[in-house]
Amino acid sequence: LRTHPLTTERISDVTNRVDQMPYKQVPDSIDFQFVRAKLRASATYVDKQSVQSSIDLFLQNIKEHRYTNEAAEHYGLASAYLNKNQLLQAQAEADWLKKNAPAHPMIESLAAKILVAKNSPQQAEQQYAAALKKYPENRALIFGQAEHFLGVKKPDLVIKFLTDKQNLYPQDPYFYELKSRAYAMMNKSLLSHQALGEAYYRKYDLKRAAEQMDLAAKAKDGDFYQHSIVEARLKEFQRMQDDEKKAKNAS
């Protein structure tokens, strides 16, 4: 922006170029259709009455064939039923999707969430495992499986599972947040604060990252190697904070 400031001439030039571009319609992807349906199902997720109005709208659209993608409409209906905890209806819609819609990771994730809501932990775990074989890099399925392990109090499986998957998305803070919750469940204070510190760092919140790493350094558990790593990381965060202050003062 310093070398190419917005002038009236540049704005006019871009406007003219846009006007001369030919019209091109891009068809909506199935991913877009499913995400839009999910948002429509959750946009009114405030109270039971609002959720019911969302259900009624999906049902009416399906009955009157008023949609651009039938599978997406059933997906939205299943999501709305799940939001209202009408699990039998949600399961029926998920079954319809598996039978009639193209295979998709969002359908697999929805099916697993319904099983979790039905309090069927073994079936949910099997559903997540089978889905991850098909879509091993899908983040929603990865996080869903980890959250399920936390829900059934299996923190050791959370750590092992996320450690295997984390190299796919090394900068995603949610991996570290989930690890922090698992370590806390295992009463591993140092590792819990360390993981949360790394999560804040990846959220660009350096102040909280340093605070968590300081708590990790002061933790009474952990071995010499773990404390050395934490203390080195704390010094790095503190140096970054000092650099930020110097930069602000200089400006």
Side-chain angles (χ1 to χ4, degrees):
L1 289 173
R2 286 197 302 268
T3 58
H4 291 75
L6 275 179
T7 63
T8 54
E9 291 81 4
R10 284 201 172 99
I11 293 172
S12 297
D13 179 52
V14 171
T15 303
N16 290 333
R17 292 188 188 187
V18 170
D19 289 340
Q20 294 170 14
M21 291 174 66
Y23 173 75
K24 182 180 180 183
Q25 188 170 11
V26 179
D28 295 333
S29 68
I30 188 64
D31 300 73
F32 171 82
Q33 297 282 3
F34 279 164
V35 170
R36 184 173 65 174
K38 185 176 182 179
L39 290 173
R40 284 165 53 208
S42 59
T44 56
Y45 190 18
V46 179
D47 53 49
K48 289 184 178 180
Q49 185 175 355
S50 297
V51 177
Q52 185 59 50
S53 66
S54 181
I55 290 172
D56 293 341
L57 181 59
F58 281 117
L59 286 170
Q60 185 177 1
N61 289 345
I62 292 170
K63 181 180 179 180
E64 298 177 1
H65 301 280
R66 194 170 58 199
Y67 46 71
T68 54
N69 186 286
E70 185 180 10
E73 215 67 18
H74 281 277
Y75 176 86
L77 179 58
S79 299
Y81 277 137
L82 179 59
N83 288 342
K84 199 178 177 184
N85 205 37
Q86 293 184 221
L87 303 181
L88 289 177
Q89 294 90 331
Q91 184 65 61
E93 292 302 317
D95 292 342
W96 186 97
L97 285 164
K98 287 207 170 188
K99 182 179 179 181
N100 297 283
H104 196 280
M106 289 184 70
I107 295 175
E108 300 293 341
S109 180
L110 173 67
K113 288 180 179 179
I114 293 171
L115 289 170
V116 171
K118 290 170 70 175
N119 196 25
S120 303
Q122 290 184 336
Q123 288 179 281
E125 189 170 329
Q126 291 170 0
Q127 168 64 25
Y128 274 122
L132 282 163
K133 282 187 178 180
K134 297 179 186 176
Y135 311 102
E137 298 183 8
N138 184 267
R139 237 184 295 208
L141 289 170
I142 292 170
F143 292 154
Q145 177 71 293
E147 289 165 353
H148 174 60
F149 283 147
L150 281 172
V152 294
K153 304 293 189 296
K154 294 182 178 179
D156 52 331
L157 290 182
V158 176
I159 300 302
K160 183 180 183 304
F161 175 70
L162 290 179
T163 300
D164 291 341
K165 293 290 186 179
Q166 197 163 10
N167 65 315
L168 295 171
Y169 306 102
Q171 298 306 317
D172 191 319
Y174 196 47
F175 277 92
Y176 292 94
E177 290 178 33
L178 290 168
K179 276 190 169 183
S180 177
R181 288 162 56 187
Y183 283 130
M185 198 176 287
M186 299 164 74
N187 295 317
K188 295 185 177 183
S189 180
L190 181 147
L191 293 175
S192 179
H193 287 299
Q194 180 190 22
L196 193 54
E198 294 294 349
Y200 279 126
Y201 173 69
R202 283 158 179 79
K203 290 181 177 180
Y204 307 101
D205 192 339
L206 196 54
K207 181 176 180 293
R208 289 186 178 180
E211 288 173 353
Q212 288 297 320
M213 211 58 71
D214 183 52
L215 290 171
K218 293 175 180 176
K220 301 302 181 182
D221 60 344
D223 56 30
F224 173 80
Y225 179 70
Q226 290 169 337
H227 273 279
S228 298
I229 293 174
V230 164
E231 288 167 4
R233 194 64 164 147
L234 174 59
K235 289 179 181 178
E236 185 178 1
F237 289 165
Q238 290 171 335
R239 177 183 58 76
M240 290 179 181
Q241 285 182 300
D242 290 339
D243 290 344
E244 282 187 356
K245 290 178 182 177
K246 290 177 183 177
K248 287 181 181 179
N249 293 333
S251 61

